[in-house]
């Protein structure tokens, strides 16, 4: 587990643009049970989360269509919440970072680490915007 002071600025990259932190399994289940669309970012301390996933997720919100709810869990910190989030992402294997879009609790779009790593944040945002335009 990472120390809270280490991950605080990494959490804030998403919370400052409106992402709700989910820190328990119950919070994940409750968030994904809500009607509408929910974006769930599995945040992490890795470089591709900092350079690609977090900025891409934030940029993607600058679109006419966007998820009803935007949420995040932190790998290596919110263990119980991350495990529950990954249960909802089956059949996709565990991946950090990872970004998933749910519609009425059903998984409709996933960006795994291999879709994020080495790709610019703008490309991540464009991918998510395409998903929003289709599902939101």
């Amino acid at each position: 587990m990472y120390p809270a002071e280490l991950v605080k600025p990494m959490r804030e990259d998403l919370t400052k643009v409106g992402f709700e932190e989910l820190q328990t399994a119950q919070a994940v289940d409750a968030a994904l049970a809500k009607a509408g669309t929910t974006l769930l970012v599995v945040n992490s301390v890795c470089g591709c989360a900092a350079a690609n996933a977090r900025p891409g997720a934030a940029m993607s919100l600058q679109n006419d269509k966007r998820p009803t709810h935007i949420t995040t869990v932190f790998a290596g910190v919110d263990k119980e919440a991350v495990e529950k989030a990954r249960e909802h992402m089956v059949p996709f294997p565990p991946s950090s970072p990872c970004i998933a879009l749910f519609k009425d609790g059903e998984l409709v779009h996933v960006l795994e680490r291999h879709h994020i790593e080495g790709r610019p944040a703008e490309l991540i945002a464009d991918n998510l915007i395409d998903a929003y335009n289709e599902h939101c």
Side-chain angles (χ1 to χ4, degrees), residues 67-88:
T68 314
H69 314 283
I70 53 175
T71 62
T72 182
V73 296
F74 208 108
V77 179
D78 306 323
K79 185 177 186 220
E80 176 187 324
V82 171
E83 286 175 4
K84 181 56 75 172
R86 288 177 172 157
E87 287 177 21
H88 286 277

Side-chain angles (χ1 to χ4, degrees), residues 57-126:
M59 278 186 242
S60 74
L61 301 176
Q62 306 306 310
N63 188 51
D64 291 336
K65 290 185 177 182
R66 53 177 279 174
T68 314
H69 314 283
I70 53 175
T71 62
T72 182
V73 296
F74 208 108
V77 179
D78 306 323
K79 185 177 186 220
E80 176 187 324
V82 171
E83 286 175 4
K84 181 56 75 172
R86 288 177 172 157
E87 287 177 21
H88 286 277
M89 293 182 212
V90 169
F92 295 92
S95 174
S96 301
C98 176
I99 306 172
L101 182 66
F102 296 84
K103 184 172 186 175
D104 298 324
E106 297 296 319
L107 182 64
V108 295
H109 187 76
V110 175
L111 284 172
E112 298 174 84
R113 181 185 179 103
H114 70 270
H115 297 121
I116 295 168
E117 193 172 32
R119 290 178 174 78
E122 294 82 7
L123 189 59
I124 304 304
D126 288 345

Side-chain angles (χ1 to χ4, degrees), residues 2-23:
Y2 297 105
E5 60 275 1
L6 173 74
V7 299
K8 185 177 186 285
M10 298 172 208
R11 287 182 183 274
E12 290 173 349
D13 283 344
L14 295 176
T15 59
K16 72 182 177 191
V17 296
F19 280 80
E20 175 189 1
E21 288 185 296
L22 307 174
Q23 296 179 322

